[in-house]
Amino acid sequence: MHLMDRLNEDLKSALKAKDKKRLAVIRGIKSSLQNEAIKEARELEEEETLLVLNREWKQRKESLHEFEKANRDDLTHEVEQEIKILSEYMPKQLSEEDLDNIVQDTIQEVGASSKSDIGVVMSAVMPKVQGKADGKQVNQLVQKHLT
């Protein structure tokens, strides 16, 4: 099932269940996807959809971090709920071991050997793990293997 179809079905279910939080998150996701499609003036490809979802997820993670720093438990709880709902639409995240294997394989593919090759490795790894791993985590693994 296409993501937009799934969102529409879940939107109907949330309306019927009067689940305001789920409703708000789904509407936000749909809005972001529609805005991106309007910006591109065409239907979004699967990779582009993942980029939008990833952007939404990352924004909420950053908000969560800021709220935790400010000791705003009320807002922290809300954002955690949003992240949980949003995660249902994200592709399954790669395990640390799988991600590490992808990074090592890519380092060998591009022939990287020093820290100066980090950019080359990152640009080769990110398309492989788009939406399935956090860029910070990938960067840390690349740096670890090239040190």
Side-chain angles (χ1 to χ4, degrees):
M1 179 184 292
H2 191 266
L3 179 63
M4 203 54 115
D5 296 333
R6 182 172 166 214
L7 286 169
N8 287 329
E9 290 299 316
D10 290 351
L11 183 73
K12 289 176 193 173
S13 298
L15 278 168
K16 288 178 186 174
K18 294 184 169 86
D19 186 345
K20 291 180 182 179
K21 178 57 78 179
R22 180 172 289 283
L23 197 58
V25 172
I26 292 171
R27 283 182 173 155
I29 295 169
K30 282 186 62 173
S31 175
S32 294
L33 290 169
Q34 288 170 340
N35 288 339
E36 190 70 20
I38 290 169
K39 188 173 114 182
E40 297 293 325
R42 61 179 169 74
E43 283 289 316
L44 296 178
E45 301 287 325
E46 189 69 28
E47 301 88 37
E48 294 168 315
T49 303
L50 288 177
L51 285 173
V52 173
L53 283 175
N54 208 26
R55 184 172 52 225
E56 290 289 315
W57 184 79
K58 198 178 286 188
Q59 285 174 349
R60 284 171 175 83
K61 279 291 200 181
E62 289 171 3
S63 296
L64 180 64
H65 178 69
E66 292 300 317
F67 293 148
E68 285 173 343
K69 237 171 47 176
N71 292 323
R72 293 292 310 264
D73 294 335
D74 54 334
L75 296 174
T76 300
H77 181 68
E78 275 188 44
V79 174
E80 284 173 343
Q81 287 179 318
E82 290 178 14
I83 290 171
K84 184 179 176 191
I85 294 167
L86 184 59
S87 295
E88 295 173 16
Y89 301 100
M90 300 281 291
K92 186 176 181 288
Q93 297 293 299
L94 291 169
S95 69
E96 180 88 25
E97 185 180 314
D98 291 340
L99 186 57
D100 194 42
N101 290 337
I102 291 171
V103 167
Q104 288 180 14
D105 292 345
T106 306
I107 288 173
Q108 290 176 353
E109 286 173 19
V110 298
S113 59
S114 67
K115 274 195 165 199
S116 63
D117 298 324
I118 288 176
V120 175
V121 175
M122 287 296 294
S123 62
V125 170
M126 287 311 291
K128 296 177 184 178
V129 300
Q130 192 63 50
K132 299 176 189 167
D134 184 37
K136 286 182 184 177
Q137 185 182 16
V138 174
N139 191 310
Q140 290 171 349
L141 285 172
V142 170
Q143 287 185 16
K144 180 180 111 179
H145 289 294
L146 290 179
T147 305

